[in-house]
Structure formats: structure tokens, C-alpha cells
Coordinates of all heavy atoms in Angstrom, one line a residue:
M1 N 0.9 -1.2 0.0 CA -0.1 0.0 0.0 C 0.8 1.1 0.0 O 0.4 2.4 -0.3 CB -0.9 -0.1 1.2 CG -1.9 1.1 1.3 SD -3.2 1.0 2.4 CE -3.9 2.5 2.3
D2 N 2.2 1.1 0.2 CA 3.0 2.3 0.3 C 3.0 3.1 -1.0 O 3.1 4.3 -0.8 CB 4.6 1.8 0.6 CG 4.6 0.4 0.8 OD1 4.0 -0.3 0.1 OD2 5.4 0.1 1.8
N3 N 3.0 2.5 -2.2 CA 2.9 3.3 -3.4 C 1.5 3.7 -3.9 O 1.4 4.1 -5.0 CB 3.8 2.6 -4.5 CG 3.2 1.3 -4.8 OD1 2.3 0.7 -4.1 ND2 3.7 0.5 -5.7
F4 N 0.5 3.4 -3.1 CA -0.7 3.7 -3.5 C -1.1 5.1 -4.0 O -1.6 5.4 -5.0 CB -1.8 3.5 -2.3 CG -3.2 3.7 -2.7 CD1 -4.0 2.7 -3.5 CD2 -3.9 4.7 -2.1 CE1 -5.3 3.0 -3.7 CE2 -5.2 5.0 -2.4 CZ -5.9 4.1 -3.3
Y5 N -0.5 6.0 -3.3 CA -0.7 7.5 -3.7 C 0.3 8.0 -4.8 O 0.0 9.1 -5.4 CB -0.7 8.5 -2.5 CG -1.8 8.2 -1.7 CD1 -1.8 7.4 -0.5 CD2 -3.2 8.7 -1.9 CE1 -2.9 7.3 0.4 CE2 -4.2 8.5 -1.2 CZ -4.1 7.8 0.1 OH -5.1 7.5 0.8
T6 N 1.2 7.2 -5.1 CA 2.3 7.6 -6.2 C 1.9 7.0 -7.5 O 2.6 7.4 -8.4 CB 3.7 7.4 -5.6 OG1 3.8 5.9 -5.5 CG2 3.9 8.0 -4.4
K7 N 1.1 6.0 -7.5 CA 0.7 5.3 -8.7 C 0.0 6.3 -9.6 O -0.8 7.2 -9.2 CB -0.2 4.1 -8.5 CG 0.7 2.9 -8.0 CD -0.3 1.7 -8.0 CE 0.6 0.6 -7.4 NZ -0.3 -0.6 -7.2
T8 N 0.3 6.2 -11.1 CA -0.4 7.2 -11.9 C -1.3 6.4 -12.8 O -2.1 7.0 -13.6 CB 0.8 7.9 -12.7 OG1 1.6 6.9 -13.5 CG2 1.6 8.8 -12.0
K9 N -1.1 5.1 -12.9 CA -2.0 4.2 -13.8 C -2.7 3.2 -12.9 O -2.2 2.5 -12.1 CB -1.0 3.6 -14.8 CG -0.6 4.5 -15.9 CD 0.1 3.8 -16.9 CE 0.3 4.6 -18.1 NZ 1.1 5.9 -18.1
C10 N -3.9 2.8 -13.5 CA -4.7 1.9 -12.9 C -4.0 0.4 -13.0 O -3.5 0.2 -14.1 CB -6.1 1.8 -13.5 SG -7.1 0.3 -13.3
D11 N -4.0 -0.4 -12.0 CA -3.4 -1.8 -12.1 C -4.2 -2.7 -12.9 O -3.8 -3.6 -13.4 CB -3.2 -2.2 -10.8 CG -2.1 -1.7 -9.8 OD1 -1.2 -1.3 -10.5 OD2 -2.3 -1.6 -8.8
C12 N -5.5 -2.3 -13.2 CA -6.4 -3.3 -14.0 C -6.3 -2.9 -15.5 O -6.0 -3.8 -16.2 CB -7.7 -3.1 -13.4 SG -8.9 -4.3 -14.1
C13 N -6.6 -1.7 -15.8 CA -6.7 -1.3 -17.2 C -5.5 -0.4 -17.7 O -5.5 -0.2 -18.9 CB -8.1 -0.8 -17.5 SG -8.2 1.0 -16.9
G14 N -4.8 0.0 -16.7 CA -3.6 0.9 -17.2 C -4.2 2.4 -17.5 O -3.4 3.2 -17.8
G15 N -5.3 2.6 -17.1 CA -5.8 4.1 -17.5 C -5.4 5.0 -16.4 O -4.8 4.6 -15.3
S16 N -5.5 6.3 -16.7 CA -5.1 7.4 -15.9 C -5.8 7.3 -14.4 O -7.1 7.1 -14.4 CB -5.1 8.7 -16.5 OG -4.9 9.6 -15.7
L17 N -5.1 7.7 -13.4 CA -5.7 7.8 -12.1 C -5.8 9.3 -11.7 O -5.9 9.5 -10.5 CB -4.8 7.1 -11.1 CG -4.9 5.5 -11.4 CD1 -3.8 4.8 -10.2 CD2 -6.2 4.9 -11.1
D18 N -5.7 10.1 -12.6 CA -5.8 11.7 -12.4 C -7.0 12.0 -11.6 O -6.9 12.7 -10.6 CB -5.7 12.5 -13.6 CG -4.4 12.4 -14.2 OD1 -3.4 12.0 -13.5 OD2 -4.3 12.8 -15.4
S19 N -8.3 11.6 -11.9 CA -9.4 12.0 -11.3 C -9.8 11.3 -10.0 O -10.1 11.8 -8.9 CB -10.6 12.0 -12.3 OG -10.6 10.6 -12.8
C20 N -9.4 9.9 -10.0 CA -9.9 9.2 -8.9 C -9.1 7.9 -8.7 O -8.9 7.3 -9.8 CB -11.3 8.8 -9.0 SG -12.1 8.1 -7.5
R21 N -8.8 7.4 -7.6 CA -8.1 6.2 -7.4 C -8.7 5.4 -6.2 O -9.0 6.1 -5.1 CB -6.6 6.4 -7.2 CG -6.3 7.2 -5.8 CD -4.8 7.4 -5.8 NE -4.4 8.4 -6.9 CZ -3.3 8.1 -7.5 NH1 -2.1 7.4 -7.0 NH2 -2.9 9.0 -8.5
I22 N -8.9 4.2 -6.3 CA -9.6 3.4 -5.2 C -8.9 2.1 -5.1 O -8.5 1.4 -6.0 CB -11.0 3.1 -5.6 CG1 -11.8 4.4 -6.0 CG2 -11.7 2.5 -4.5 CD1 -13.1 4.2 -6.6
M23 N -8.6 1.7 -3.8 CA -7.9 0.5 -3.4 C -8.8 -0.7 -3.7 O -10.1 -0.7 -3.4 CB -7.6 0.6 -2.1 CG -6.9 -0.7 -1.5 SD -5.3 -1.1 -2.1 CE -4.3 0.2 -1.3
S24 N -8.4 -1.7 -4.4 CA -9.2 -3.0 -4.4 C -9.4 -3.7 -3.2 O -8.6 -3.5 -2.3 CB -8.3 -4.0 -5.4 OG -9.0 -5.1 -5.4
M25 N -10.5 -4.2 -3.0 CA -10.8 -5.0 -1.8 C -10.3 -6.4 -1.8 O -10.2 -7.0 -0.7 CB -12.4 -5.2 -1.8 CG -13.0 -3.9 -1.0 SD -12.4 -3.8 0.7 CE -12.8 -2.1 1.0
Y26 N -9.8 -6.8 -2.9 CA -9.3 -8.2 -3.0 C -7.7 -8.2 -3.0 O -7.2 -9.3 -2.6 CB -9.7 -8.7 -4.3 CG -11.2 -8.9 -4.5 CD1 -12.0 -7.9 -4.9 CD2 -11.7 -10.3 -4.1 CE1 -13.3 -8.2 -5.1 CE2 -13.1 -10.3 -4.1 CZ -13.8 -9.3 -4.7 OH -15.3 -9.5 -4.8
S27 N -7.2 -7.1 -3.2 CA -5.6 -7.0 -3.2 C -5.2 -5.6 -2.9 O -6.1 -4.8 -2.6 CB -5.1 -7.4 -4.6 OG -5.4 -6.5 -5.6
N28 N -3.9 -5.5 -3.1 CA -3.3 -4.1 -2.8 C -3.3 -3.2 -4.2 O -2.6 -2.3 -4.3 CB -2.0 -4.1 -2.3 CG -2.0 -4.5 -0.7 OD1 -3.2 -4.3 0.0 ND2 -1.0 -5.0 -0.2
E29 N -4.1 -3.6 -5.2 CA -4.0 -3.1 -6.4 C -4.8 -1.7 -6.3 O -5.8 -1.5 -5.6 CB -4.6 -3.9 -7.6 CG -3.6 -5.0 -7.8 CD -4.2 -5.9 -9.0 OE1 -5.4 -6.1 -9.0 OE2 -3.3 -6.3 -9.8
C30 N -4.4 -0.8 -7.2 CA -5.1 0.4 -7.2 C -5.9 0.6 -8.5 O -5.3 0.4 -9.6 CB -3.9 1.6 -7.3 SG -4.6 3.2 -7.0
F31 N -7.2 0.9 -8.3 CA -8.0 0.9 -9.5 C -8.5 2.3 -9.8 O -8.6 3.1 -9.1 CB -9.3 0.0 -9.2 CG -9.0 -1.6 -9.2 CD1 -9.9 -2.3 -8.8 CD2 -7.8 -2.0 -9.7 CE1 -9.7 -3.7 -8.7 CE2 -7.5 -3.4 -9.7 CZ -8.4 -4.3 -9.3
C32 N -8.9 2.5 -11.2 CA -9.5 3.7 -11.4 C -11.2 3.4 -11.2 O -11.5 2.4 -10.8 CB -9.5 3.9 -13.0 SG -10.2 2.8 -14.1
M33 N -12.0 4.5 -11.3 CA -13.3 4.5 -10.9 C -14.0 3.4 -11.8 O -14.8 2.7 -11.2 CB -14.0 5.8 -11.2 CG -15.3 6.0 -10.6 SD -15.1 6.2 -8.8 CE -16.7 5.8 -8.3
K34 N -13.6 3.2 -13.0 CA -14.4 2.3 -13.9 C -14.0 0.8 -13.4 O -15.0 0.1 -13.3 CB -13.8 2.6 -15.2 CG -14.5 1.8 -16.4 CD -14.0 2.2 -17.7 CE -13.7 1.1 -18.6 NZ -12.3 0.5 -18.7
C35 N -12.8 0.5 -13.1 CA -12.5 -0.9 -12.7 C -13.1 -1.2 -11.3 O -13.4 -2.3 -11.0 CB -11.0 -1.1 -12.8 SG -10.4 -0.9 -14.5
K36 N -13.1 -0.2 -10.4 CA -13.6 -0.3 -9.1 C -15.1 -0.7 -9.3 O -15.7 -1.6 -8.5 CB -13.4 0.9 -8.4 CG -13.9 0.8 -6.9 CD -13.2 -0.3 -6.0 CE -13.7 -0.4 -4.7 NZ -12.9 -1.5 -3.9
S37 N -15.8 -0.1 -10.1 CA -17.2 -0.2 -10.2 C -17.4 -1.6 -10.7 O -18.5 -2.3 -10.3 CB -18.0 0.8 -11.0 OG -17.4 1.0 -12.2
E38 N -16.5 -2.1 -11.7 CA -16.6 -3.5 -12.1 C -16.4 -4.4 -11.0 O -17.0 -5.5 -10.8 CB -15.6 -3.8 -13.2 CG -15.8 -3.1 -14.6 CD -17.1 -3.6 -15.1 OE1 -17.3 -4.7 -15.1 OE2 -18.0 -2.6 -15.6
E39 N -15.4 -4.1 -10.1 CA -15.0 -5.1 -8.9 C -16.4 -5.0 -8.0 O -16.6 -6.1 -7.5 CB -13.9 -4.5 -8.1 CG -13.6 -5.4 -7.1 CD -12.4 -4.8 -6.3 OE1 -12.8 -3.8 -5.3 OE2 -11.2 -5.2 -6.3
M40 N -17.0 -4.0 -7.8 CA -18.1 -4.0 -6.9 C -19.2 -4.8 -7.3 O -20.2 -5.1 -6.7 CB -18.5 -2.5 -6.6 CG -17.5 -1.8 -5.8 SD -17.8 0.0 -5.7 CE -19.0 0.1 -4.5
K41 N -19.3 -5.1 -8.7 CA -20.4 -5.9 -9.2 C -20.2 -7.4 -8.9 O -21.1 -8.2 -9.1 CB -20.4 -5.7 -10.7 CG -21.0 -4.4 -11.2 CD -21.0 -4.3 -12.6 CE -21.1 -2.9 -13.2 NZ -20.9 -2.7 -14.6
K42 N -19.1 -7.9 -8.5 CA -18.7 -9.2 -8.1 C -19.7 -9.7 -7.1 O -20.0 -8.9 -6.1 CB -17.2 -9.4 -7.7 CG -16.3 -9.3 -9.0 CD -14.8 -9.5 -8.4 CE -13.9 -9.3 -9.5 NZ -12.6 -9.4 -9.2
S43 N -19.9 -10.9 -7.2 CA -21.1 -11.4 -6.3 C -20.4 -11.6 -4.8 O -21.3 -11.5 -3.8 CB -21.6 -12.8 -6.7 OG -20.5 -13.6 -6.9
D44 N -19.1 -11.8 -4.6 CA -18.7 -11.9 -3.4 C -17.9 -10.6 -2.9 O -17.2 -10.7 -1.9 CB -17.5 -13.1 -3.4 CG -16.3 -12.7 -4.2 OD1 -16.5 -11.9 -5.2 OD2 -15.3 -13.5 -4.2
Y45 N -18.4 -9.5 -3.5 CA -17.8 -8.2 -3.0 C -17.9 -7.9 -1.6 O -17.0 -7.5 -0.9 CB -18.2 -7.2 -4.0 CG -17.5 -5.7 -3.5 CD1 -16.2 -5.5 -4.0 CD2 -18.1 -4.8 -3.0 CE1 -15.6 -4.3 -3.8 CE2 -17.6 -3.5 -2.5 CZ -16.3 -3.4 -3.0 OH -15.7 -2.2 -2.6
E46 N -19.2 -8.1 -1.2 CA -19.6 -7.8 0.3 C -18.7 -8.6 1.2 O -18.2 -8.2 2.2 CB -20.9 -8.1 0.4 CG -22.0 -7.1 -0.3 CD -21.9 -5.7 0.2 OE1 -21.7 -5.5 1.5 OE2 -21.9 -4.7 -0.4
D47 N -18.6 -9.9 0.8 CA -17.8 -10.7 1.6 C -16.3 -10.3 1.8 O -15.7 -10.4 2.7 CB -17.7 -12.2 1.1 CG -19.0 -12.9 1.3 OD1 -19.7 -12.5 2.2 OD2 -19.3 -13.9 0.7
A48 N -15.8 -9.8 0.6 CA -14.4 -9.3 0.6 C -14.2 -8.1 1.4 O -13.2 -7.8 2.0 CB -14.0 -9.0 -0.8
V49 N -15.2 -7.2 1.5 CA -15.3 -6.0 2.2 C -15.3 -6.4 3.7 O -14.5 -5.8 4.5 CB -16.5 -5.0 1.9 CG1 -16.5 -3.9 2.9 CG2 -16.4 -4.5 0.6
K50 N -16.1 -7.1 4.1 CA -16.1 -7.7 5.4 C -14.9 -8.3 5.8 O -14.4 -8.1 7.0 CB -17.3 -8.8 5.5 CG -17.9 -9.0 7.0 CD -19.3 -9.7 6.9 CE -19.5 -10.2 8.2 NZ -19.3 -11.6 8.3
K51 N -14.3 -9.3 5.1 CA -13.0 -9.9 5.5 C -12.0 -8.8 5.6 O -11.2 -8.9 6.6 CB -12.7 -10.9 4.2 CG -11.5 -11.7 4.6 CD -11.5 -12.9 3.5 CE -10.2 -13.6 3.5 NZ -9.0 -12.9 2.8
D52 N -11.9 -7.9 4.8 CA -11.0 -6.9 4.8 C -11.0 -6.1 6.1 O -9.9 -5.8 6.8 CB -11.1 -5.9 3.6 CG -9.9 -4.9 3.5 OD1 -8.9 -5.4 3.2 OD2 -10.0 -3.7 3.7
S53 N -12.2 -5.8 6.5 CA -12.3 -5.0 7.8 C -12.1 -5.7 9.0 O -11.4 -5.3 9.9 CB -13.8 -4.3 7.9 OG -14.7 -5.4 7.8
E54 N -12.4 -7.1 8.8 CA -11.9 -8.1 9.9 C -10.5 -8.0 10.2 O -10.0 -8.1 11.1 CB -12.7 -9.4 9.7 CG -14.2 -9.4 10.1 CD -14.8 -10.7 9.6 OE1 -14.1 -11.5 9.0 OE2 -16.0 -10.8 10.0
E55 N -9.8 -8.2 8.9 CA -8.3 -8.4 9.1 C -7.7 -7.1 9.6 O -6.8 -7.2 10.5 CB -7.8 -8.5 7.7 CG -7.9 -9.9 7.2 CD -7.5 -10.1 5.7 OE1 -7.0 -9.2 5.1 OE2 -7.8 -11.2 5.2
H56 N -8.3 -5.8 9.4 CA -7.8 -4.7 9.9 C -7.9 -4.7 11.5 O -7.1 -4.3 12.2 CB -8.3 -3.5 9.2 CG -7.9 -3.2 8.0 ND1 -6.5 -3.0 7.7 CD2 -8.4 -3.2 6.7 CE1 -6.4 -2.9 6.4 NE2 -7.4 -2.8 5.8
V57 N -9.0 -5.1 12.0 CA -9.4 -5.1 13.2 C -8.4 -6.2 13.9 O -7.9 -5.8 15.1 CB -10.8 -5.5 13.5 CG1 -11.1 -5.9 15.0 CG2 -11.8 -4.5 13.1
G58 N -8.2 -7.2 13.4 CA -7.3 -8.3 13.9 C -5.8 -7.7 14.1 O -5.2 -7.8 15.1
K59 N -5.4 -7.0 13.1 CA -4.0 -6.4 13.1 C -3.9 -5.4 14.3 O -2.8 -5.4 14.9 CB -3.7 -5.6 11.8 CG -3.3 -6.6 10.6 CD -3.0 -5.9 9.3 CE -3.0 -6.8 8.1 NZ -3.3 -6.1 6.8
Q60 N -4.9 -4.6 14.4 CA -4.9 -3.6 15.6 C -4.8 -4.2 16.9 O -4.0 -3.8 17.8 CB -6.1 -2.7 15.4 CG -6.1 -1.5 14.2 CD -7.4 -1.0 14.1 OE1 -8.2 -1.3 14.8 NE2 -7.3 0.0 13.2
K61 N -5.4 -5.4 17.0 CA -5.3 -6.0 18.2 C -3.9 -6.6 18.6 O -3.7 -6.6 19.8 CB -6.2 -7.2 18.2 CG -7.7 -7.1 18.6 CD -8.5 -8.4 18.6 CE -10.0 -8.1 18.6 NZ -10.7 -9.4 18.3
F62 N -3.3 -6.9 17.7 CA -1.9 -7.4 17.9 C -0.9 -6.4 18.1 O 0.3 -6.7 18.3 CB -1.5 -8.3 16.9 CG -2.3 -9.6 17.0 CD1 -3.3 -9.9 16.1 CD2 -2.2 -10.5 18.0 CE1 -4.0 -11.2 16.2 CE2 -2.8 -11.6 18.1 CZ -3.7 -12.1 17.2
R63 N -1.1 -5.0 18.0 CA -0.2 -4.1 18.2 C 0.2 -3.8 19.5 O -0.6 -3.8 20.5 CB -0.7 -2.7 17.5 CG -0.5 -2.7 16.1 CD -0.7 -1.2 15.4 NE -0.4 -1.3 14.0 CZ -0.5 -0.4 13.3 NH1 -0.9 0.8 13.7 NH2 -0.3 -0.4 11.9
Ligands
LIG101 ZN1 -8.9 0.8 -14.6

């Protein structure tokens, strides 16, 4: 996630991230708005969001 804000191109389609950049819920990839909305259409997207937040909570506990 370190280079999230320095990326200039979408990891999915290679498009410009000038207007908007969004982190993938499935990986540390950085998506443009278009690819993110495609990702959100996936049937298991809600599960991925839930899993992601649970992982963050778990990490904080061990600090
Ligand atoms: Zn894209």
C-alpha cells in the first residue's frame, strides 16, 4: 500500500488515475473508478469488504 498514492496508472486497465483512485478490496491494487465499479459488481464483493475490515481489526489487536 506504500505506493498507492504515487501510482499514476490503474493496475487493472492501465488507465489514468488523475481523477480518482480506489484500493481494490481483493488485493493491494489501485483501480480507476471504472475498474472499481466493475469490482463492486462481483457477487462476493460484500464478503471481501467484510473480510478486509475484519483483518484490519485483527491487526490492530496485535499491536
Ligand atoms: Zn482501470
Side-chain angles (χ1 to χ4, degrees):
M1 185 164 172
D2 350 45
N3 58 354
F4 180 74
Y5 290 102
T6 59
K7 280 183 181 177
T8 55
K9 285 184 165 61
C10 170
D11 284 325
C12 183
C13 72
S16 172
L17 294 174
D18 285 345
S19 51
C20 191
R21 65 184 64 212
I22 308 163
M23 176 72 71
S24 167
M25 270 300 158
Y26 296 89
S27 66
N28 284 340
E29 290 184 320
C30 189
F31 288 168
C32 68
M33 198 65 200
K34 188 172 127 269
C35 296
K36 181 64 184 181
S37 51
E38 286 299 316
E39 182 187 74
M40 288 171 80
K41 288 179 194 167
K42 289 181 181 179
S43 55
D44 64 342
Y45 181 77
E46 291 294 324
D47 288 341
V49 173
K50 196 158 164 268
K51 190 166 162 282
D52 188 70
S53 55
E54 279 170 1
E55 276 173 11
H56 285 302
V57 171
K59 275 175 200 164
Q60 283 170 357
K61 271 184 195 167
F62 289 108
R63 273 195 178 172

